[in-house]
């Protein structure tokens, strides 16, 4: 079985993002970029499945400008076998991403797609569900445990009240959550090896998908800042402030 | 504007986030319907019909609709979509699971996790863990929208909507429910509690959360945690407050032994009053705290508990 893992290039999660002065977006120039952390978990899970004999090939795919090839190389350095870069000029929306991935699925015929539950830039939390819908496949979302059982998979989902166990039919789209695994670091020899692994590049237009944005982001602004608070000297003062000043207890 | 809201529920009770979603809907239009898709969810439908501002409750009752199986609920919503300008749901796990599937099948882009209604076509939503707020305008023929419940007040009771049965669609045969492992607690639900007390890595061990629980019980508070505390196995996943966990905005949020990574702040910085207890004076949590106490939590928390008597 082949496993497809879409990986998104986002601002590194350690970086404090800044809104552009003209309120058109956030500053991306000279900002450290990295693989979306949830997608790292997806890559890791695909690799573990392969190492356990449950998959024979792990293919990483990323959509965006040429710099996205770095993100694919990161996945290859972790251990993915092959990369596909879909060249697109601008940031594209989850619906367009899902449509492009659907075309990749038609070409590659994976048995499973592992994808991060959300990207930490637009925080949309849509792509996996949309891809499953367009393919007519089962979806396991917010997954923190998975066991493949032939033509189905037992998944554990992180839900609002705790955990939920589902049996989903394969092929399926699985969106991964934090507790699924701890992604490995790429070793230096593997980073070197990754440079020689195959990486195909195709354009979004070649896949026949209209990626025109549907939503118009008219303004991006800083959230309202919280006013600076005070330090209290001890617990007694804290309780007094909460009772008599803030009046919340 | 006709608006359909997918109710979040567990077949026994309506999730409170549904009420906040109704409030968001009333800012868009005045013909608001609620869909209760489930199995033997009659009580939920009654609760939904009693929400002020709701004109109709549609019930689809079938075993295939139990537990909010996305592959079965999405086609049901799809079959009703042509009657509505907006399809909405709370941005709970249920809403987040089902609505993108609906949007993709309708070939429209979803607007996730809105915090403000500017107009029926225009909404504000947080991006980058709430470090930026985007205003998004949609010209899609139907707007698929999920709602951040903490950004809207809960709708009042006092409605008397008609309840109508809707035809359930067939089992897609793709996913089946096996079982749940739900945390049981007598304390208020995390996302709607007026007071939340959360612990982080500084708690050192799961058993130390008992200290927070004692304080929580005196305050009528819910107990939450940072990702670090959940990852360390101190508490279950449903305690997690943050960018990718639960978003809370209580009257009082007490962060204990939490350093304050931006991913955690994203889940609680809209709380009305924030208290931080941390022995590291430089911890970023103090930058958002109204009242900061630099102290060893193992001294401060038990003292706090006794001082609340």
């Amino acid at each position: 079985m082949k496993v497809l893992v879409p990986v998104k290039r986002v601002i590194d999660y350690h970086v404090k993002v800044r809104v552009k002065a003209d309120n058109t977006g956030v500053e991306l120039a000279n900002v450290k970029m990295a693989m979306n952390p949830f997608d790292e978990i997806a890559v890791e899970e695909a690799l573990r499945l392969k190492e356990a004999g449950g998959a024979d090939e792990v293919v990483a795919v990323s959509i965006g400008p040429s710099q996205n090839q770095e993100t694919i190389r990161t996945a290859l350095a972790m251990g993915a076998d092959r990369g596909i870069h879909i060249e697109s000029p601008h940031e594209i929306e989850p619906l367009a991403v899902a449509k492009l991935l659907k075309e990749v699925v038609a070409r590659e015929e994976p048995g499973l797609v592992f994808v991060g539950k959300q990207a930490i830039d637009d925080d949309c939390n849509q792509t996996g569900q949309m891809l499953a819908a367009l393919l007519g496949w089962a979806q396991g979302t917010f997954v923190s445990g998975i066991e493949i059982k032939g033509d189905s998979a037992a998944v554990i989902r992180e839900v609002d009240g705790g955990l939920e166990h589902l049996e989903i039919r394969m092929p399926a789209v699985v969106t991964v959550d934090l507790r699924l695994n701890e992604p490995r670091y790429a070793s230096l020899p593997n980073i070197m090896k990754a440079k020689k692994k195959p990486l195909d590049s195709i354009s979004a237009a070649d896949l026949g998908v209209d990626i025109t944005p549907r939503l118009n982001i008219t303004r991006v602004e800083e959230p309202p800042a919280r006013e600076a608070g005070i330090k209290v000297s001890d617990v007694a003062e804290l309780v007094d402030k909460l009772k008599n000043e803030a009046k919340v207890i | 504007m006709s608006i359909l809201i997918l109710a979040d529920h567990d077949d026994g009770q309506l999730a409170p986030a549904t009420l906040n979603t109704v409030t968001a809907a009333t800012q868009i239009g005045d013909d608001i319907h609620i869909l209760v898709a489930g199995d033997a969810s009659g009580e939920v439908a009654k609760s939904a019909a009693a929400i002020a501002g709701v004109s109709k409750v549609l019930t689809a009752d079938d075993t295939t609709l139990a537990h909010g199986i996305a592959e079965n609920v999405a086609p049901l919503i799809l079959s009703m979509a042509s009657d509505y300008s907006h399809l909405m749901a709370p941005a709970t796990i249920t809403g987040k699971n089902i609505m993108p599937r609906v949007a993709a099948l309708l070939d429209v882009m979803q607007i996730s996790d809105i915090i403000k209604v500017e107009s029926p076509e225009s909404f504000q939503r947080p991006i980058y863990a709430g470090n930026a707020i985007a205003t998004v305008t949609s010209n899609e023929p139907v707007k698929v929208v999920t709602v951040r419940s903490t950004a809207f007040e809960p709708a009042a009771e006092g409605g008397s909507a008609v309840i109508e049965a809707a035809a359930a669609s067939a089992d897609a045969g793709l996913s089946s429910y096996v079982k749940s492992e739900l945390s049981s607690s007598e304390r208020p639900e995390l996302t709607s509690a007026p007071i939340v007390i959360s612990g982080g890595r500084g708690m050192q061990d799961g058993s130390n959360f008992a200290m927070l629980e004692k304080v929580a019980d005196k305050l009528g508070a819910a107990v939450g945690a940072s990702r670090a505390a959940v990852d360390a196995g101190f508490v279950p996943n449903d305690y997690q407050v943050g960018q990718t966990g639960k978003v809370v905005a209580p009257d009082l949020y007490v962060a204990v032994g939490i350093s304050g990574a931006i991913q955690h702040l994203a889940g609680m910085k809209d709380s009305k009053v924030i208290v931080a207890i941390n022995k590291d004076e430089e911890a970023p949590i103090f930058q958002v705290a109204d009242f900061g106490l630099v102290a060893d939590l193992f001294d401060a928390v038990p003292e706090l508990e006794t001082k609340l008597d």
Side-chain angles (χ1 to χ4, degrees), chain B residues 32-257:
Chain B
I32 298 168
H33 301 178
I34 292 187
L35 170 63
V36 178
D39 183 24
S41 49
E43 287 304 313
V44 178
K46 282 183 202 159
S47 307
I51 304 172
V54 176
S55 54
K56 193 192 281 184
V57 173
L58 294 156
T59 61
D61 240 20
D62 194 275
T63 51
T64 62
L65 297 172
H67 308 291
I69 298 285
E71 297 88 333
N72 294 345
V73 179
L76 172 69
I77 300 174
L78 208 63
S79 70
M80 304 173 169
S82 59
D83 294 337
Y84 297 97
S85 61
H86 293 71
L87 304 173
M88 300 177 73
T92 53
I93 290 290
T94 303
K96 290 194 269 196
N97 187 36
I98 295 171
M99 297 312 276
R101 199 164 174 111
V102 174
L105 295 172
L106 288 167
D107 192 26
V108 301
M109 244 311 281
Q110 172 175 302
I111 304 144
S112 296
D113 218 12
I114 65 161
I115 56 170
K116 193 175 175 196
V117 175
E118 298 257 329
S119 78
E121 289 81 35
S122 188
F123 310 91
Q124 284 190 359
R125 59 179 302 269
I127 56 175
Y128 291 94
N131 285 298
I133 308 295
T135 302
V136 179
T137 305
S138 168
N139 294 316
E140 299 280 23
V142 53
K143 278 79 177 165
V144 178
V145 176
T146 64
V147 176
R148 176 172 291 198
S149 60
T150 53
F152 298 89
E153 293 295 317
E157 287 192 16
S160 53
V162 293
I163 300 179
E164 268 180 28
S169 44
D171 185 1
L174 292 173
S175 291
S176 53
Y177 172 81
V178 179
K179 64 173 178 179
S180 297
E181 297 169 58
L182 301 182
S183 306
S184 60
S185 170
E186 300 295 308
R187 294 185 195 92
E189 199 261 329
L190 189 54
T191 57
S192 53
I195 300 179
V196 173
I197 178 162
S198 288
R201 198 194 303 273
M203 297 302 295
Q204 295 183 6
D205 192 87
S207 60
N208 292 330
F209 268 74
M211 291 192 309
L212 302 188
E213 288 164 1
K214 283 182 192 162
V215 175
D217 289 342
K218 287 201 173 162
L219 292 171
V223 178
S226 69
R227 176 190 170 182
V230 178
D231 282 359
F234 298 171
V235 287
N237 63 283
D238 50 293
Y239 281 52
Q240 187 180 327
V241 172
Q243 178 185 17
T244 68
K246 287 182 177 143
V247 176
V248 303
D251 295 333
L252 173 61
Y253 187 89
V254 184
V256 180

Side-chain angles (χ1 to χ4, degrees), chain A residues 7 18 20 24 32 55 66 92 152 162 171 186 202 219 227:
Chain A
V7 292
R18 301 203 184 283
K20 284 187 188 169
T24 56
K32 186 176 179 233
S66 56
I92 64 171
S152 72
I202 42 177
R219 187 176 167 82
E227 283 183 29

Side-chain angles (χ1 to χ4, degrees), chain A residues 99 117 121-122 124 126 129 137 139 141 160 163 165 167 169 179 214 216 218-219 221 226 232, chain B residues 71 96-97 101 107 112 125 128 133 135 137 174 176 179 181 240 244 246 269 271 290 292:
Chain A
K99 288 179 178 181
K117 73 166 180 178
D121 51 2
D122 60 27
C124 275
Q126 300 174 5
Q129 297 89 314
W137 287 9
Q139 66 186 48
T141 54
D160 287 330
L163 298 174
H165 296 243
E167 187 103 356
R169 202 170 84 188
R179 255 69 64 178
R214 304 288 189 82
N216 184 12
T218 52
R219 187 176 167 82
E221 59 203 310
R226 285 190 79 91
V232 293
Chain B
E71 297 88 333
K96 290 194 269 196
N97 187 36
R101 199 164 174 111
D107 192 26
S112 296
R125 59 179 302 269
Y128 291 94
I133 308 295
T135 302
T137 305
L174 292 173
S176 53
K179 64 173 178 179
E181 297 169 58
Q240 187 180 327
T244 68
K246 287 182 177 143
K269 68 185 167 65
S271 304
D290 299 283

